[in-house]
């Protein structure tokens, strides 16, 4: 009964956690998408005005244009190409889910952030409850993985191996397996999808899973590349389980 109850609690926690992220993604998308569209239109108008009058601009006007351009880029609007960029949004569901995941995991790349008052206030409360929920989620997943460690240790102990050697081999097994699954293989995937070098993929994976999150490398941000649907959702799930693996290593 205790085992069934524990499994039920884990299932409810995992389900509730992902529902929380899904609801957060939907709210961020609803609050931010229209504001982003207005920013894109303003950036396009600024670009058009510049192209029409760039030979007659004064130094002050040129400086103002540069400031406006930098502000647009900081807000995630890249005024390059034609009007087709308006069809793509930084706040589609995939990007919104990815953002929600980086909020609760405290990575915070800084390349995507809410700009409306409603989005900023919601982000405060979403993080306020989401970060503790993320800690509980990682603890529970880490606890489940530690049960696998115990089973492995028990198996080796029954084979006549000493406890110190069992501890070392168990740690080595989960360390090497995790490095392969959460660092090495994803880096190949990022190399193919993002066009990065393998070392850049390793760098991004480590900086992300260590929650440093510089923001110099972020997935799905290159305008000249076509990404498949829900690419960033998959990356967000990789991040969450990668953090659980790191929590397991700390426990070990």
């Amino acid at each position: 009964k205790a085992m069934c109850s524990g499994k039920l609690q884990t299932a409810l926690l995992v389900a509730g956690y992902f529902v929380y992220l899904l609801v957060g993604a939907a709210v961020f998308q609803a609050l931010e998408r229209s504001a982003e569209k207005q920013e894109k239109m303003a950036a396009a108008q600024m670009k058009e005005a510049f192209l029409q009058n760039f030979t007659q601009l004064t130094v002050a006007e040129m400086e103002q244009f540069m400031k406006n351009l930098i502000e647009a880029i900081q807000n995630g609007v890249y005024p390059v190409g034609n009007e087709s960029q308006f069809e793509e949004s930084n706040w589609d569901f995939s990007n919104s889910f990815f953002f929600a995941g980086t909020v609760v995991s405290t990575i915070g790349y800084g390349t995507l952030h809410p700009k409306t008052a409603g989005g900023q206030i919601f982000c405060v409360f979403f993080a306020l409850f989401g970060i503790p929920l993320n800690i509980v989620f990682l603890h529970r997943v880490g606890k489940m993985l530690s049960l696998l460690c115990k089973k492995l240790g028990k198996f080796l102990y029954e084979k006549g191996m000493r406890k110190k050697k069992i501890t070392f081999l168990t740690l080595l097994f989960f360390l090497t397996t995790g490095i392969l699954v959460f660092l090495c293989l994803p880096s190949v995937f990022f190399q193919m999808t993002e066009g990065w070098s393998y070392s850049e993929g390793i760098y991004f994976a480590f900086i992300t899973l260590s929650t440093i999150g510089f923001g110099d490398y972020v997935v799905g941000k290159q305008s000249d590349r076509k990404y498949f649907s829900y690419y960033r959702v998959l990356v967000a799930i990789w991040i969450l389980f990668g953090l659980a693996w790191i929590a397991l290593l700390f426990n070990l």
Side-chain angles (χ1 to χ4, degrees):
K1 287 184 178 180
M3 187 178 293
C4 290
S5 177
K7 288 182 178 179
L8 179 62
Q9 288 178 1
T10 300
L12 289 174
L13 175 63
V14 172
Y17 180 73
F18 279 99
V19 167
Y20 188 81
L21 291 180
L22 290 169
V23 171
V27 174
F28 281 122
Q29 183 181 19
L31 291 173
E32 296 295 326
R33 197 164 189 174
S34 59
E36 181 200 33
K37 191 172 182 180
Q38 292 176 358
E39 284 185 2
K40 284 187 173 182
M41 291 177 65
Q45 291 171 358
M46 177 187 69
K47 176 184 174 182
E48 185 178 351
F50 173 77
L51 292 175
Q52 289 176 352
N53 305 302
F54 72 95
T55 57
Q56 304 171 11
L57 292 177
T58 64
V59 174
E61 289 172 332
M62 189 64 188
E63 289 287 337
Q64 186 61 46
F65 171 78
M66 295 299 292
K67 287 180 182 178
N68 293 338
L69 181 62
I70 292 170
E71 184 179 349
I73 292 172
Q74 287 175 340
N75 289 331
V77 177
Y78 302 90
V80 294
N82 50 34
E83 293 182 356
S84 63
Q85 63 166 323
F86 290 103
E87 299 174 5
E88 300 176 359
S89 174
N90 289 321
W91 291 101
D92 59 18
F93 190 79
S94 181
N95 285 332
S96 299
F97 185 89
F98 181 79
F99 173 75
T102 60
V103 168
V104 298
S105 61
T106 69
I107 295 172
Y109 291 113
T111 54
L112 185 65
H113 50 86
K115 291 169 279 292
T116 64
Q120 290 170 348
I121 294 298
F122 176 74
C123 187
V124 170
F125 287 99
F126 181 77
L128 190 64
F129 295 100
I131 292 172
L133 177 61
N134 182 64
I135 293 171
V136 173
F137 170 78
L138 294 180
H139 176 72
R140 181 55 65 96
V141 174
K143 193 174 180 181
M144 289 174 61
L145 292 174
S146 66
L147 291 176
L148 295 176
C149 294
K150 288 182 180 179
K151 288 182 179 180
L152 178 61
K154 186 178 180 182
F155 172 78
L156 294 175
Y157 184 73
E158 289 173 352
K159 294 294 181 180
M161 196 174 289
R162 289 182 301 173
K163 286 187 177 181
K164 284 187 177 181
K165 193 173 183 181
I166 290 173
T167 303
F168 173 75
L169 289 177
T170 303
L171 179 59
L172 183 64
F173 173 75
F174 279 94
L175 179 63
T176 53
T177 303
I179 288 174
L180 179 66
V181 173
F182 293 109
L183 291 178
C184 297
L185 292 180
S187 298
V188 175
F189 178 70
F190 295 137
Q191 184 180 17
M192 295 167 57
T193 309
E194 299 288 344
W196 298 337
S197 66
Y198 186 72
S199 61
E200 288 173 325
I202 288 283
Y203 169 77
F204 166 76
F206 176 79
I207 292 299
T208 295
L209 295 184
S210 60
T211 69
I212 296 171
F214 288 127
D216 49 349
Y217 288 85
V218 182
V219 295
K221 296 297 289 183
Q222 300 184 60
S223 57
D224 59 337
R225 285 187 169 267
K226 292 291 182 182
Y227 300 100
F228 61 88
S229 299
Y230 301 107
Y231 166 55
R232 298 188 100 191
V233 171
L234 292 177
V235 175
I237 294 172
W238 161 74
I239 290 172
L240 297 174
F241 284 96
L243 292 176
W245 165 65
I246 290 178
L248 170 67
L249 289 183
F250 283 130
N251 287 334
L252 290 176

